[in-house]
Amino acid sequence: MNKWLIILYLFFVPVYTYPQEYDETKLEEVLELFAIEYDLTIQIDQIEALIQKPIDLRTASIDDLLLIPGISPGIAENIVSNMKKNEYKSIIELSDEMNISDEMLYILSLCTYISEEKKRARKHYFYARGRSISRLSEIDGFERDKFKGDKLSLYQRYNLYYDGISSGILVDKDEGEKKLNDFMSGFLALEYFNSKLIVGDYSLEIGMGNLFWKSFGSRKGSDVISPALQWGSAIKPYRSSIDADFFRGAAYENNIPISTNNSIKARAWYSNIDRAGTLTEDNIITSIYKQGYFRTETEINKRNAVNEQCFGGSMDWQSKYFTIGATVARIEYDKGLQTTSKSNFNGKDGFLKTVYFISNIKDISLGSEISQDAHNNTGLKIGTQLVKNDYMLAAGFRSYDADFRSPFGYNFGEQSYPSNETGLYFAGTWKKYKTFNVSTYVDFYKSKQQTYYVPFGLRGIDLFSEIWWKPYRKTEMRLRLRYEDKSNSYTDYTLKQKLTYQKIKQAIRLDIRHNVSTRIYLRLRGEANAVLYEKGFDDEVGYMTFFEMGWQPIKFLKIGGRFTIFSTDSYESAIWQYEYAMPGYMTTVPLYGNGTRAYLFLKTAPINSIILTLRATYTRKNNVETLGSGYLETLNNKDIRAYVQLDIRL
Amino acid sequence: MLKEMNTLYQKSLFLLIIFISVTIAKSQGLYYMQFDPVSSATGLTASNTMAYAYNPSLFTNVDVPTLVLSVAPSRFGISELSPGFVMLGLPVSDDFVTAFSGHTVGNSLYNEFSGSLHGAYSISEFMDIGASFEYFRLSIQDFRLDVSYQFHIGANVRISDLISAAVCVKNINGNHYLGGEKTINQAGAVGLGFHIAQDFTFDLGLQVSTMGQSGISLAGLYTVDDILNIRLSALTSPRIVSGAVSVLAIPYFDINLLSSYQDYLGWSNSFGLSVYFGKVDE
């Protein structure tokens, strides 16, 4: 009953005003810069929040700009100093001066404005979103009655902002889950003068992320510069449906000016939340469950397995040229955690401590953070950037003890959690010409101890280059090359032991987008990879090509689709593909085996405040009986899904 | 005795033809592979008009009514494997070209036939799109008669004076013969072509097939005094090298000779004649 009331409510809310619109296909390309093979939902949520409440570049601080995905301290400092020196009337003028890439210009135009533009400085808004995804193919979980709930998948989000006060409620049910509010999240945030208070669900970004960061940060990708020096900006309301790594309670932040160039930023927080996990008969938690699905009896039994309390505070001294700060947090569980995963806490309670600094002097930024976990294991991160109009350089170093446990931290490196890894990263971007630039990075890394997959520790080199060229105003090309040499292991059943080997993966991708007119675009891509094994397996290859078109026949209607053909020898040579599924929702699809994948979408805004998006996807593979695995395994070789989303913005 | 031997011979021949047909084209269409096994998505290195059938958007290059006849006698030394091809391209307007093509291979025992209708349209100075509808029929005497209907689409973008890019998708509707749900043959190709010099072009392509034979192609075309085209090409999977010569014998005719070597099946040759009912732009 509840769900129908909510759906009816979504349809009948009165509408008045103008929605901020963006080109979702362009956003897909832009977001793809931040990562190669990972989820980007958090970044989309953040961009959408900023679209609703954009930042005025005329008054923005570096911390404000760091809220924007893809903006690093060096770039933020450059923007702030350029805005102070010049009387830009538009973001394009700023972009021309700084030689900002098209992608960053696009993000800035969505998330910021200049006071003189007077375009979007709204004092209040209401935003509601409802989304449902239906799997039209039968899957194993329902067929064998493993799922306790019905097939409905429904995501609902409501956000309200009124002159410094913002609030949000998120209610989510995945297919197979029992209740419409299987996951609920909400917040109330107040921002007045220099202080911010959040009650409800929030995330923390502190220092360079050794201890506290949002659940997904930037990954290695074609934005090679900014991730090398990630700098936490603030406490933030939690807006995602990912049921992990957020806090529930209250957080307060105050920026206290001391003099013209000096201020103290203080934060304090308290969180009390039940986490899902695997509980043994001995009342021990052996793992924290972060997938967020509660469909089967086993999954439901993991729910609320352990209570976690976390409280802490931090204090940053911000001066004109540097910021230095320290954070201490205490974490307490009501049951002992004996976890093997290094992304989980180990023990029952303890203090997490960290100190960090960053300096921005002219075009150079340098940051570092050194942290200790509850067992005095150490993590160190150093990053630097040089940001010039014609080129940018970056370097980063990270080293975490093998047993460093930082349950809310984030690592920009080979693993996403900061533990058991030492690495050195170098990157550069040459962007002398507005229509041509080259980016490259190289990352060397090794683990200090064995990992889950590799018994003797892993080592690797990751080399990436991308050339972007815009020969004409309407056409963009992107050529990407990647080389990765990484340890892996296999079990030799004759010797009855695991053996390690090096696996080399080489990949090349060509992506072309052509805007036929303002209403029609074409995009095509070809990608190939080769996987070469030092021993143990035969070498592999993988190929993929897609063809995509979008058309806006009338102002309030967009239609389009993509058709992909792929052929790979196995999952090892899989090719990953981003898809901007719906506004605010992006999926990453690994394509392997031999088959095709297609999707069609329709987006319409019949009146200004309502956007309706429909989408259908179809995946089929040759010579297999089923697709997927586990409970989501289909009963034949096709996977068909339908998506519908309604956005209401007032 | 003689009759039994003939039957045995026919059965062996029948199995061999099926095996080779499947190996070459993985069946269900893709007949152009039998004439030009290293096709070019951009068409920049196309040595004759028949190559446009690979990517229907390339038919916009047909400026005058054009008739193409081609035959590949005794492919890999087998006389029964002699496919024939006919195509008629008709410009309807400056922006739109239509074409018809037909292809057949086999004998009374095993026969493949396809008939296609193509359309290509220039939607801007920089871009062409095209589509084909293909009727495909396979008949095996006293055994089966199968029909499939396939749509192919393609697009071609002139990125600059020096570079073109193209993409085509074969059998986008996923049609298949009866019982072939688990082995649908669909293919896609993306290519990048370069005008290195006025008389030399080359292109790099990626051909992806759901039947597992996917690879990278490379082809170069050298033009001598606008009357002779020489094309060399190679494909990584299946491994094929190919050479073609096209001669504009007199202004309204050209003759095309193509020879290719596949590391698994050996040599194959084809001969083609194009007739232009109008003056071809140089």
Side-chain angles (χ1 to χ4, degrees):
Chain A
M1 184 63 186
N2 276 350
K3 68 187 178 193
W4 296 115
L5 284 175
I6 292 166
I7 292 168
L8 281 173
Y9 171 74
L10 278 172
F11 273 101
F12 288 102
V13 168
V15 291
Y16 300 106
T17 55
Y18 174 76
Q20 171 58 34
E21 185 57 279
Y22 56 86
D23 178 354
E24 57 286 336
T25 60
K26 183 71 183 169
L27 188 60
E28 176 191 315
E29 290 174 47
V30 172
L31 288 170
E32 205 171 354
L33 299 182
F34 300 139
I36 292 175
E37 294 172 0
Y38 297 91
D39 195 338
L40 289 159
T41 305
I42 297 277
Q43 275 91 338
I44 298 175
D45 289 333
Q46 180 65 15
I47 287 170
E48 290 206 317
L50 289 167
I51 287 171
Q52 295 304 320
K53 191 168 165 284
I55 298 164
D56 183 356
L57 287 179
R58 186 68 65 203
T59 56
S61 67
I62 291 175
D63 276 1
D64 293 335
L65 294 176
L66 290 176
L67 291 169
I68 303 168
I71 294 276
S72 64
I75 296 169
E77 203 281 329
N78 256 15
I79 291 174
V80 170
S81 63
N82 268 296
M83 288 302 297
K84 280 181 183 164
K85 281 186 236 164
N86 301 287
E87 289 293 322
Y88 300 119
K89 295 284 186 279
S90 72
I91 295 169
I92 291 174
E93 287 180 30
L94 170 73
S95 156
D96 287 342
E97 175 70 25
M98 287 183 60
N99 211 358
I100 288 173
S101 68
D102 273 17
E103 287 80 13
M104 190 47 69
L105 172 62
Y106 183 72
I107 294 270
L108 282 177
S109 64
L110 289 177
C111 301
T112 67
Y113 69 106
I114 292 177
S115 314
E116 290 81 346
E117 291 183 305
K118 291 180 182 171
K119 63 174 186 182
R120 285 174 310 181
R122 288 190 284 159
K123 285 201 162 184
H124 42 82
Y125 66 80
F126 171 73
Y127 188 358
R129 166 173 290 165
R131 178 196 305 142
S132 181
I133 303 172
S134 302
R135 202 184 291 264
L136 304 180
S137 309
E138 294 294 327
I139 56 173
D140 192 56
F142 289 114
E143 187 65 20
R144 291 196 293 135
D145 290 328
K146 290 289 180 186
F147 289 167
K148 300 300 173 190
D150 59 28
K151 292 184 176 179
L152 177 72
S153 151
L154 187 63
Y155 165 101
Q156 302 161 76
R157 193 177 80 182
Y158 307 92
N159 285 96
L160 181 67
Y161 175 78
Y162 189 88
D163 200 16
I165 304 173
S166 58
S167 63
I169 295 175
L170 193 151
V171 185
D172 185 40
K173 174 192 179 299
D174 295 304
E175 62 180 338
E177 290 181 338
K178 288 170 79 173
K179 293 184 292 183
L180 201 62
N181 60 344
D182 211 84
F183 174 69
M184 276 193 78
S185 175
F187 68 87
L188 175 69
L190 293 87
E191 284 185 66
Y192 282 104
F193 304 108
N194 295 318
S195 62
K196 184 195 286 186
L197 172 68
I198 302 174
V199 179
D201 294 343
Y202 58 91
S203 61
L204 294 168
E205 280 184 21
I206 293 175
M208 294 180 71
N210 277 4
L211 294 185
F212 296 100
W213 203 259
K214 60 197 171 197
S215 40
F216 289 95
S218 289
R219 304 293 300 164
K220 287 185 270 190
S222 45
D223 174 17
V224 301
I225 300 298
S226 63
L229 181 53
Q230 294 182 122
W231 187 253
S233 51
I235 57 174
K236 294 180 183 177
Y238 191 70
R239 301 171 189 274
S240 173
S241 61
I242 296 170
D243 189 2
D245 294 343
F246 65 92
F247 297 100
R248 181 162 285 172
Y252 178 74
E253 183 176 278
N254 197 0
N255 198 21
I256 308 157
I258 298 172
S259 65
T260 313
N261 292 322
N262 290 278
S263 64
I264 297 287
K265 181 177 267 189
R267 302 183 193 96
W269 67 90
Y270 172 75
S271 168
N272 187 323
I273 189 168
D274 290 335
R275 304 278 187 198
T278 305
L279 181 64
T280 66
E281 289 176 355
D282 303 328
N283 215 28
I284 298 292
I285 298 291
T286 54
S287 69
I288 295 290
Y289 179 68
K290 296 186 176 183
Q291 278 73 22
Y293 296 117
F294 300 98
R295 306 159 299 188
T296 64
E297 185 131 11
T298 309
E299 289 171 350
I300 291 168
N301 287 338
K302 291 178 191 286
R303 174 165 259 161
N304 301 333
V306 61
N307 178 265
E308 174 196 281
Q309 288 189 72
C310 177
F311 53 91
S314 72
M315 194 165 286
D316 300 354
W317 171 26
Q318 296 180 319
S319 79
K320 185 176 179 182
Y321 296 114
F322 65 87
T323 296
I324 185 165
T327 295
V328 178
R330 179 163 178 80
I331 188 166
E332 293 179 1
Y333 292 94
D334 67 346
K335 301 179 185 72
L337 271 67
Q338 291 182 6
T339 57
T340 51
S341 167
K342 293 178 188 294
S343 64
N344 293 167
F345 191 81
N346 209 19
K348 196 170 181 186
D349 53 44
F351 281 97
L352 306 172
K353 299 139 285 190
T354 186
V355 291
Y356 40 86
F357 90 95
I358 186 168
S359 74
N360 296 303
I361 300 174
K362 289 194 172 178
D363 303 315
I364 298 176
S365 302
L366 174 69
S368 181
E369 178 171 12
I370 184 162
S371 318
Q372 271 195 335
D373 70 1
H375 305 287
N376 294 329
N377 296 298
T378 307
L380 170 68
K381 199 186 276 184
I382 301 170
T384 184
Q385 290 174 349
L386 170 65
V387 178
K388 294 279 192 184
N389 286 352
D390 291 348
Y391 63 91
M392 295 189 285
L393 299 172
F397 172 76
R398 73 271 182 190
S399 179
Y400 310 102
D401 284 351
D403 288 319
F404 184 68
R405 299 293 186 102
S406 170
F408 313 111
Y410 186 78
N411 175 41
F412 171 68
E414 190 52 27
Q415 301 164 137
S416 60
Y417 51 89
S419 183
N420 191 27
E421 183 173 315
T422 294
L424 191 56
Y425 175 89
F426 296 101
T429 293
W430 183 68
K431 56 187 185 85
K432 183 174 174 61
Y433 301 105
K434 188 77 180 164
T435 56
F436 183 87
N437 65 50
V438 182
S439 296
T440 190
Y441 75 70
V442 59
D443 188 36
F444 304 92
Y445 56 87
K446 61 181 286 190
S447 61
K448 295 182 174 179
Q449 242 178 36
Q450 71 172 66
T451 66
Y452 186 79
Y453 295 104
V454 182
F456 308 114
L458 64 84
R459 61 187 167 84
I461 300 169
D462 190 354
L463 182 62
F464 173 96
S465 283
E466 185 173 277
I467 296 168
W468 174 85
W469 182 36
K470 192 173 183 181
Y472 292 124
R473 188 172 52 86
K474 291 182 172 181
T475 307
E476 287 177 52
M477 294 174 65
R478 205 179 283 278
L479 176 68
R480 176 184 286 191
L481 305 165
R482 194 177 185 204
Y483 171 93
E484 190 180 17
D485 181 348
K486 184 178 179 180
S487 308
N488 211 330
S489 72
Y490 72 103
T491 303
D492 187 319
Y493 291 101
T494 312
L495 300 174
K496 294 182 180 172
Q497 61 178 347
K498 271 194 161 187
L499 300 175
T500 49
Y501 60 90
Q502 290 300 113
K503 182 179 82 173
I504 295 173
K505 189 169 186 178
Q506 299 162 319
I508 180 169
R509 173 197 288 184
L510 177 70
D511 193 292
I512 297 170
R513 181 189 172 110
H514 178 69
N515 295 314
V516 180
S517 69
T518 53
R519 290 174 182 267
I520 301 175
Y521 79 90
L522 165 79
R523 189 174 169 205
L524 55 98
R525 175 181 293 180
E527 184 164 352
N529 68 41
V531 182
L532 314 172
Y533 295 94
E534 183 188 28
K535 59 186 173 188
F537 302 97
D538 292 333
D539 295 342
E540 295 185 18
V541 290
Y543 302 96
M544 182 274 277
T545 180
F546 76 59
F547 171 72
E548 178 184 320
M549 276 194 92
W551 182 34
Q552 189 175 11
I554 45 179
K555 190 179 176 185
F556 57 83
L557 178 67
K558 284 182 186 173
I559 53 177
R562 178 186 292 177
F563 190 87
T564 305
I565 298 179
F566 54 92
S567 172
T568 79
D569 287 336
S570 80
Y571 183 81
E572 292 293 333
S573 44
I575 293 174
W576 294 70
Q577 175 175 294
Y578 276 99
E579 290 175 12
Y580 188 83
M582 317 287 281
Y585 180 53
M586 197 162 179
T587 58
T588 315
V589 187
L591 303 170
Y592 58 94
N594 295 292
T596 56
R597 177 173 171 83
Y599 69 77
L600 293 170
F601 72 87
L602 179 152
K603 186 178 176 187
T604 180
I607 50 177
N608 276 339
S609 298
I610 290 185
I611 299 173
L612 174 68
T613 312
L614 305 173
R615 184 173 189 266
T617 64
Y618 175 88
T619 307
R620 193 198 60 78
K621 289 186 188 176
N622 273 351
N623 302 317
V624 293
E625 297 298 323
T626 62
L627 298 185
S629 60
Y631 298 123
L632 298 178
E633 186 173 7
T634 61
L635 301 186
N636 57 34
N637 65 342
K638 299 184 189 75
D639 185 350
I640 305 167
R641 299 181 201 186
Y643 301 64
V644 57
Q645 179 168 304
L646 187 67
D647 288 89
I648 300 173
R649 306 175 190 191
L650 308 178
Chain B
M1 181 70 178
L2 192 62
K3 191 177 175 186
E4 281 177 6
M5 281 186 70
N6 274 339
T7 309
L8 186 65
Y9 170 74
Q10 283 189 340
K11 282 181 178 172
S12 306
L13 185 63
F14 164 70
L15 288 172
L16 185 64
I17 290 172
I18 288 181
F19 168 74
I20 290 175
S21 296
V22 169
T23 307
I24 298 164
K26 290 288 182 183
S27 197
Q28 301 178 44
L30 311 187
Y31 57 82
Y32 36 81
M33 297 284 283
Q34 300 184 10
F35 294 91
D36 184 358
V38 191
S39 301
S40 154
T42 65
L44 275 192
T45 59
S47 59
N48 74 345
T49 310
M50 197 184 95
Y52 298 159
Y54 185 61
N55 179 352
S57 69
L58 301 178
F59 279 107
T60 54
N61 293 313
V62 175
D63 299 323
V64 297
T66 303
L67 177 69
V68 178
L69 303 166
S70 189
V71 62
S74 300
R75 299 202 74 198
F76 314 116
I78 301 164
S79 60
E80 286 76 7
L81 198 65
S82 302
F85 175 83
V86 58
M87 189 190 83
L88 178 65
L90 296 170
V92 177
S93 69
D94 287 347
D95 299 328
F96 183 69
V97 176
T98 187
F100 307 90
S101 62
H103 155 264
T104 184
V105 64
N107 52 28
S108 58
L109 192 64
Y110 174 91
N111 185 267
E112 286 181 17
F113 168 78
S114 84
S116 300
L117 169 65
H118 314 273
Y121 179 61
S122 293
I123 58 175
S124 79
E125 184 187 345
F126 302 104
M127 187 176 169
D128 309 318
I129 56 172
S132 302
F133 169 74
E134 182 179 4
Y135 163 82
F136 201 84
R137 194 192 67 188
L138 164 75
S139 74
I140 302 170
Q141 192 180 53
D142 302 329
F143 180 60
R144 68 188 292 181
L145 173 66
D146 266 323
V147 169
S148 88
Y149 303 94
Q150 302 181 2
F151 285 97
H152 316 306
I153 59 167
N156 184 34
V157 181
R158 284 170 287 282
I159 291 171
S160 74
D161 293 338
L162 300 178
I163 301 178
S164 290
V167 64
C168 56
V169 176
K170 301 293 177 185
N171 191 17
I172 194 166
N173 54 321
N175 205 283
H176 55 83
Y177 293 142
L178 196 64
E181 296 85 353
K182 296 283 167 61
T183 53
I184 299 175
N185 188 9
Q186 292 174 283
V190 60
L192 203 57
F194 302 87
H195 285 277
I196 297 297
Q198 191 177 3
D199 49 8
F200 181 65
T201 55
F202 86 89
D203 64 37
L204 189 63
L206 175 66
Q207 300 182 5
V208 186
S209 159
T210 57
M211 302 296 281
Q213 286 207 323
S214 305
I216 292 168
S217 65
L218 185 67
L221 180 76
Y222 182 61
T223 304
V224 183
D225 291 336
D226 294 326
I227 58 165
L228 179 69
N229 287 334
I230 301 168
R231 181 180 194 255
L232 292 173
S233 56
L235 180 68
T236 59
S237 177
R239 285 187 194 169
I240 296 173
V241 289
S242 166
V245 176
S246 182
V247 182
L248 192 62
I250 55 174
Y252 298 99
F253 297 91
D254 77 29
I255 299 165
N256 186 260
L257 310 172
L258 184 145
S259 189
S260 64
Y261 179 77
Q262 197 206 51
D263 71 341
Y264 196 52
L265 294 170
W267 286 98
S268 175
N269 305 300
S270 72
F271 307 94
L273 171 71
S274 300
V275 184
Y276 303 103
F277 299 96
K279 192 174 180 191
V280 182
D281 289 340
E282 290 180 357

